[in-house]
Amino acid sequence: MKTNVVAAIGTFDGVHLGHRAIIHRVTELARNVCGHSLIITFANHPLSVVAPGRCPLWATSRAISHQLIRQAGIANIDTLQFTPELAALTARQFFARLRTQYGVSTLVMGYDNTFGSDRLASPSEYRAAGAAEGINVVSVDPVTTPYGVTASSSALRRAIAAGSPIDAADILSYPYTFEGPVIHGLQNGRKIGFPTLNIDIRGLQPLLSGVYAASFIDGEQALPAVLNVGCNPTIAPNQPLSCELHVINTDLGNRYGTIARCQVHRRIRGEQHFDSLAHLQSAINADIKSALS
């Protein structure tokens, strides 16, 4: 077991500006004490156990969040399955586990970070509980965007649900990005000359229905694309919500079963019903022109 570990714990959903401030503090303190940096995160959202009715969808995938955490300079990530047994631990019991299982000597906590069945109410209470188990607790203040929005995963999900990838990017400090497996759809896009990747976004917060300028991330390439989120009211009405990506002027071939990663830049228009396929094709051509501008 490592010792002298500086850690933080949380969902780190999206790794937004507030998360980055916490990660920066972790790496800074670890460097100052010649210690090890560690982020402890969860495979499932804690609210899925504590309050399932209030459990949010993820803003982005666990894989993207982990990649961003590592890119920010964290040496080690440990992913826990949040369980009823974990939820039953008091804050002090959880501190004891951090000390014995991970060798944590310092825990960095965000302004809204809480844990423990005893529901401690203030940073001073967490500092006292940590000190009782030999752990120094360091608090990090909230971070706001240039437009005065406090960076949080809930604010990020609201921006996504409102169809505002620009606001989401302000909270994240990078373009809003999501990914999911490519699945079989109705292949209607291909039939009208605009083949799409049908991306499975179950478990993720969907964008507001509409058409978006986007990029398909293919390795180091960012290929221009148009993203459609909606229920296909013209071609196949009354279908479940789908997420379809048309990569402009590019034949991607068979991508079924692979993971497609998409950056979303701006909303072009809302979802519309067209009177004919010709009108739909004309609108898609206009969307492509807008996405390329």
Side-chain angles (χ1 to χ4, degrees), residues 163-182:
S164 182
I166 293 174
D167 289 343
D170 288 336
I171 294 167
L172 292 165
S173 76
Y174 64 89
Y176 164 58
T177 306
F178 71 92
E179 68 178 18
V182 178

Side-chain angles (χ1 to χ4, degrees), residues 62-127:
R62 299 282 74 202
I64 289 177
S65 292
H66 288 191
Q67 181 182 20
L68 291 166
I69 290 168
R70 293 194 185 280
Q71 288 174 349
I74 293 295
N76 303 285
I77 301 174
D78 192 66
T79 303
L80 296 178
Q81 186 72 28
F82 198 85
T83 63
E85 291 73 24
L86 199 59
L89 296 177
T90 65
R92 183 167 173 179
Q93 287 171 332
F94 194 77
F95 276 119
R97 177 169 174 171
L98 293 178
R99 185 70 175 174
T100 57
Q101 183 172 339
Y102 298 101
V104 173
S105 58
T106 299
L107 184 72
V108 178
M109 294 183 64
Y111 76 99
D112 60 348
N113 190 197
T114 60
F115 55 83
S117 59
D118 46 346
R119 300 179 182 275
L120 301 186
S122 67
S124 61
E125 289 182 295
Y126 280 101
R127 285 194 292 271

Side-chain angles (χ1 to χ4, degrees), residues 244-275:
E244 298 174 90
L245 188 70
H246 171 66
V247 183
I248 301 168
N249 297 327
T250 303
D251 184 1
L252 294 174
N254 186 341
R255 296 274 179 145
Y256 294 122
T258 65
I259 300 297
R261 182 172 293 193
C262 177
Q263 284 184 354
V264 189
H265 306 302
R266 57 186 171 83
R267 194 168 191 249
I268 296 173
R269 62 175 174 86
E271 186 174 46
Q272 294 175 252
H273 176 271
F274 296 95
D275 295 332

